[in-house]
Amino acid sequence: MSDIGRMYIDGEWVLSGSGETREVINPADGSILASVTEGTADDVKKAVAAARRAFDKDGWQDTTPHERAALLRAVCTKLERDREPLLKLETLDNGKPLRETGYDVDDTIGCFRYYAGMAEKPTGQTFSVPDPNIQTMVVREPIGVCGQIVPWNYPLLMAAWKLAPALAAGNTVVFKPSELTPLSAIRLFEIFEEVGFPKGVVNLVLGAGATVGHEIAANHGVDKVAFTGGTKTGRSIMQAATGNLKGISLELGGKSPNIVFADADLESAVDYALFAIFCNQGQVCSAGSRLLLEESIQDAFLARLVERANKIRVGPGSSPASEMGPLISESHLNRVLAYVEIGRQEGATLLCGGNRLTEGELGKGWFMRPTIFTDTTPDMRIVKEEVFGPFLVVQTFRTEAEAIEMANDTEYGLAGGVFTPDGAKAMRVIRKLRAGITWINTYNPTFNEAPWGGYKQSGIGRELGTFGYEEYTEVKQINLNLNPGMSGWFEF
């Protein structure tokens, strides 16, 4: 990259017309990683115009699936070549441990490869209709210009989740990464340029959500907007998108239940309960942030849970020994710490953590101990609101019915887990959970082949799998008269 990270608009690396820049900060030590140009609404308009021309006039929508698949496979090859520097860059930018960014980069490659294959698969349907002279069919066509906005918790992987299906389906894109973590997106667009995507097909605009993100959502040249992030921002995007009734897909927040029955294997359930909430510092939309324990195992379970939580090695993501890295920013750390005080004021019991780590080199970054609250009630803010950090609340239940009611007592509906060796009970509970992504005797595995998205205020639409591909297509009905002639409807 150049001294100032640039945007990629219409096949050119450009600075914003505003002349403003933004510093990208390493959350592990507060150091400046890079300076990047700060985009504006005018930069979005230029990118949309380029994407519009590439789709409407330059022939991108007429490319064959095989041509698009070849470009996506070439991206995979370059990503594999650059795997090690990419995962190190992602760790510096986001803070998560190297072992996590390794999985992220590999999943990114897998996502592009999956949708390269999807582009070449059969699509459409044919129908037998009452009129024997009419052949009816349905085809899927690209939507057009797609605006895409991703968060900072999985910068590269979330980019792949949106870009890969959109490009495979034949759309052009205007893409905005989080202003906190733009570096891997810049590198990805360098790869797009390297493999030969035509001018205007892929456009990268950097900048703040309130300006760049809002213009993407409101711009009438954009046919669809896809967003991953907070529910409050999702509502704003929905409102901005009404101007031209553009399509929307939203993957939003969660306060997901992880239900553990008394017959579950304690060690395994404890292990997954930790993984469900403390992976990626709890900065995961689908995190198992509410642990629902059957009352009879509460004491034994929590004793082991706290023992293990206190042993989690918190440190810079670049250290191979680190199991949990820093939070993304100082302001976000302070927000999570504020919930600790809220929990105390509400009368919950803090079992462990709840404080910033300041000893030694950790004092330069935004580190927090794994935090667990118990003695909670359903009306507490720490139980109802998404904290988005290493912050677990514990609830207890006595019956299966009570567990289901408690699990569904939330405005969200993204994810949920159930731990029990009783397969019938597990399926009964999972079937009753109002959530889009669920697990039995595991938590967190995600696959490019399977849909991702939630119920209620956790979003609209789905990503990944065939569902994610279809989100970037329009359905067109075609009726062909096999026996052309006069309709005979009106008299001569």
Side-chain angles (χ1 to χ4, degrees):
M1 289 179 286
S2 60
D3 291 340
I4 298 177
R6 300 186 177 222
M7 301 181 291
Y8 188 68
I9 298 175
D10 203 12
E12 302 290 337
W13 291 98
V14 298
L15 296 173
S16 171
S18 70
E20 295 182 5
T21 61
R22 178 187 294 269
E23 293 177 341
V24 181
I25 306 300
N26 182 344
D29 60 14
S31 63
I32 299 172
L33 292 172
S35 292
V36 298
T37 194
E38 182 76 358
T40 65
D42 284 340
D43 295 311
V44 175
K45 292 172 183 176
K46 293 174 184 177
V48 171
R52 193 81 263 164
R53 188 204 67 241
F55 185 81
D56 294 331
K57 298 179 180 180
D58 291 353
W60 176 253
Q61 66 171 309
D62 298 321
T63 55
T64 68
H66 302 289
E67 290 173 313
R68 300 194 296 271
L71 284 168
L72 295 178
R73 291 191 178 102
V75 170
C76 293
T77 299
K78 303 299 183 183
L79 287 170
E80 289 172 333
R81 177 199 66 190
D82 296 344
R83 181 183 184 277
E84 291 303 313
L86 266 172
L87 67 88
K88 292 176 182 176
L89 180 65
E90 193 83 330
T91 286
L92 288 172
D93 205 6
N94 170 273
K96 67 177 68 177
L98 284 168
R99 64 178 184 176
E100 290 189 34
T101 52
Y103 281 111
D104 291 353
V105 174
D106 290 341
D107 281 351
T108 296
I109 296 167
C111 187
F112 277 105
R113 181 170 288 119
Y114 175 81
Y115 283 109
M118 181 66 65
E120 298 174 315
K121 296 297 185 291
T123 61
Q125 298 175 339
T126 60
F127 301 92
S128 296
V129 295
D131 187 340
N133 292 317
I134 299 294
Q135 174 63 66
T136 299
M137 65 189 76
V138 164
V139 297
R140 287 192 174 271
E141 298 178 341
I143 292 174
V145 176
C146 297
Q148 302 179 316
I149 306 168
V150 300
W152 44 258
N153 58 337
Y154 290 89
L156 185 63
L157 185 57
M158 292 294 98
W161 280 23
K162 287 184 170 46
L163 289 162
L167 295 170
N171 299 283
T172 57
V173 297
V174 177
F175 180 83
K176 190 196 98 66
S178 168
E179 56 268 37
L180 298 179
T181 54
L183 301 184
S184 58
I186 294 173
R187 182 67 195 108
L188 178 60
F189 274 74
E190 289 175 345
I191 289 174
F192 286 158
E193 180 185 42
E194 188 178 353
V195 303
F197 273 93
K199 291 178 62 174
V201 172
V202 290
N203 300 274
L204 171 68
V205 184
L206 308 177
T211 51
V212 171
H214 176 77
E215 179 61 29
I216 289 173
N219 193 291
H220 286 201
V222 175
D223 300 302
K224 174 191 172 68
V225 61
F227 169 77
T228 297
T231 298
K232 181 180 179 181
T233 304
R235 293 192 191 100
S236 298
I237 286 174
M238 286 185 72
Q239 292 170 349
T242 60
N244 65 330
L245 294 179
K246 60 172 60 69
I248 58 172
S249 56
L250 306 172
E251 200 268 273
L252 307 176
K255 192 72 174 179
S256 300
N258 183 20
I259 306 168
V260 180
F261 285 96
D263 56 1
D265 179 80
L266 187 140
E267 286 298 322
S268 176
V270 166
D271 187 64
Y272 275 107
L274 295 167
F275 183 51
I277 184 58
F278 299 129
C279 176
N280 199 22
Q281 300 74 251
Q283 301 170 140
V284 184
C285 55
S286 59
S289 53
R290 288 189 296 140
L291 176 62
L292 277 58
L293 292 177
E294 191 163 353
E295 192 175 83
S296 61
I297 62 168
Q298 178 184 10
D299 292 345
F301 195 98
L302 291 181
R304 183 62 173 142
L305 186 72
V306 169
E307 178 187 4
R308 287 201 53 189
N310 284 330
K311 293 179 180 179
I312 291 175
R313 296 190 298 272
V314 181
S318 57
S319 170
S322 295
E323 296 176 317
M324 197 176 92
L327 275 69
I328 189 62
S329 68
E330 187 171 23
S331 62
H332 186 64
L333 169 63
N334 290 335
R335 177 185 180 275
V336 176
L337 290 172
Y339 273 99
V340 175
E341 185 58 31
I342 290 169
R344 287 192 174 109
Q345 292 174 358
E346 290 181 320
T349 300
L350 180 64
L351 291 182
C352 65
N355 61 294
R356 179 177 182 175
L357 289 164
T358 58
E359 57 265 25
E361 292 296 306
L362 297 185
K364 297 179 180 179
W366 303 304
F367 296 90
M368 180 177 175
R369 289 191 184 279
T371 299
I372 302 174
F373 272 98
T374 190
D375 296 325
T376 64
T377 57
D379 61 329
M380 289 181 176
R381 287 183 61 190
I382 63 169
V383 173
K384 302 184 77 68
E385 298 176 12
E386 184 179 39
V387 178
F388 216 68
F391 192 106
L392 179 66
V393 295
V394 181
Q395 300 173 270
T396 59
F397 64 90
R398 294 182 179 179
T399 67
E400 182 179 318
E402 186 181 6
I404 294 168
E405 181 180 5
M406 192 176 293
N408 288 330
D409 184 20
T410 173
E411 65 185 25
Y412 299 108
L414 187 55
V418 174
F419 283 81
T420 174
D422 185 335
K425 178 167 64 177
M427 284 302 297
R428 286 196 304 270
V429 174
I430 285 291
R431 293 289 295 272
K432 291 291 185 180
L433 285 190
R434 300 288 295 164
I437 310 148
T438 61
W439 299 281
I440 296 174
N441 295 325
T442 186
Y443 205 100
N444 274 338
T446 305
F447 304 100
N448 291 311
E449 297 81 0
W452 183 274
Y455 292 15
K456 299 188 280 187
Q457 293 190 45
S458 286
I460 297 171
R462 293 294 183 270
E463 295 190 294
L464 299 181
T466 58
F467 298 87
Y469 180 85
E470 290 172 356
E471 291 280 345
Y472 288 97
T473 64
E474 294 279 17
V475 176
K476 176 180 285 183
Q477 179 188 152
I478 300 173
N479 295 284
L480 173 64
N481 190 346
L482 302 176
N483 187 23
M486 306 291 286
S487 70
W489 188 259
F490 299 104
E491 292 184 11
F492 289 96

